[in-house]
Amino acid sequence: LGYVTRMILARKLSLEDFGLLYAVITTISFLTIFTNIGLGTAQVKFIAHFEAIKEKKKVSEILKFTFITRLTLAIIIGGLMVFFAKGLAADYFKISEVLPVYLTGIGLIVLTFFSFLSRSLQGFKKVVRMSLMEFLQKLIFLGIAFVVIIILFNFKNGTNMIILYIVSILLAIIIVTPG
C-alpha cells in the first residue's frame, strides 16, 4: 500500500510538495531511532517473559518505564525541533514556513506512541492486531489522500498531506486499541 500511495501522490502533488511530504516522513522515521534506543526490542522480550511467568506487576513496570522514557525522548527531540524550527525549515527542508517542522515534531511524538503500542502488542503475542494496525495506517493514509486529491483539489499540498499522515497514524491507533 505504501508504494501505491507514493505513486498516486507523486503524480498528483507538485515536486516540491511531494519532496516535503516524504522528507518529513523520512525525518520522523529516522528520529524514532533516538526515541526507541533499543527499548522497543527490550519491551517485547520482557513483556513476553513476564507474561509467561505470570508477573503482572513486572509487565506493568516495563510498560510504564518504556512508555515514559520513549515519550520523554520524543518530547525533548520534538521540542528541539520547535526551538530550531526556523533554521531547520531554511537549511534542512529548504522552505520558508515553519509549520512542517512543527508537524514533524508532533509526528515524532505520535509515531513514538504508535511504535510503543505496536511493540506492546507484539510482546503480548497479539501479532495479528499489531499487523492490522500497521496495515490500517497505510490504508487510511491512502484512502484519505485519494479522497482529498480527487475531491478537494485545493487541499493537496505538502503541509496538508503531512497532517493527513499524522491523522492516519492516530486513526489506526484508535481503531485497533481496545476500548
Side-chain angles (χ1 to χ4, degrees):
L1 286 177
Y3 289 118
V4 173
T5 304
R6 193 172 298 152
M7 191 172 63
I8 291 170
L9 292 174
R11 294 179 188 274
K12 297 296 182 182
L13 293 176
S14 71
L15 184 62
E16 294 80 15
D17 288 332
F18 181 79
L20 175 62
L21 172 63
Y22 279 95
V24 167
I25 290 173
T26 302
T27 302
I28 291 170
S29 298
F30 175 73
L31 290 174
T32 57
I33 294 169
F34 301 104
T35 63
N36 186 10
I37 61 168
L39 288 174
T41 306
Q43 182 181 345
V44 173
K45 180 198 182 307
F46 289 113
I47 288 173
H49 173 74
F50 290 125
E51 273 287 304
I53 60 172
K54 309 273 190 256
E55 292 263 357
K56 300 288 183 193
K57 186 175 181 191
K58 292 278 190 188
V59 171
S60 177
E61 289 172 7
I62 293 294
L63 289 170
K64 284 179 194 172
F65 175 77
T66 55
F67 179 75
I68 290 169
T69 304
R70 292 175 78 182
L71 188 62
T72 301
L73 289 170
I75 290 170
I76 289 169
I77 295 169
L80 287 171
M81 293 195 74
V82 169
F83 186 75
F84 294 110
K86 283 191 177 198
L88 286 168
D91 298 331
Y92 179 72
F93 290 109
K94 308 290 187 210
I95 55 174
S96 58
E97 60 179 311
V98 294
L99 181 59
V101 181
Y102 296 156
L103 292 173
T104 303
I106 292 167
L108 175 64
I109 294 167
V110 171
L111 192 61
T112 298
F113 182 72
F114 183 88
S115 175
F116 168 80
L117 184 58
S118 178
R119 293 301 190 139
S120 296
L121 290 171
Q122 189 178 5
F124 287 114
K125 296 183 172 94
K126 298 186 182 213
V127 181
V128 172
R129 185 177 274 178
M130 177 196 75
S131 300
L132 177 65
M133 186 174 74
E134 293 176 5
F135 175 77
L136 275 175
Q137 185 273 320
K138 290 180 179 14
L139 184 66
I140 290 167
F141 183 54
L142 172 64
I144 292 173
F146 186 75
V147 167
V148 164
I149 287 171
I150 298 300
I151 297 171
L152 306 169
F153 292 107
N154 296 342
F155 195 72
K156 64 172 188 177
N157 68 41
T159 302
N160 292 334
M161 289 297 154
I162 295 166
I163 294 168
L164 295 178
Y165 175 71
I166 295 169
V167 167
S168 71
I169 296 170
L170 288 170
L171 287 174
I173 290 170
I174 291 167
I175 291 169
V176 173
T177 304

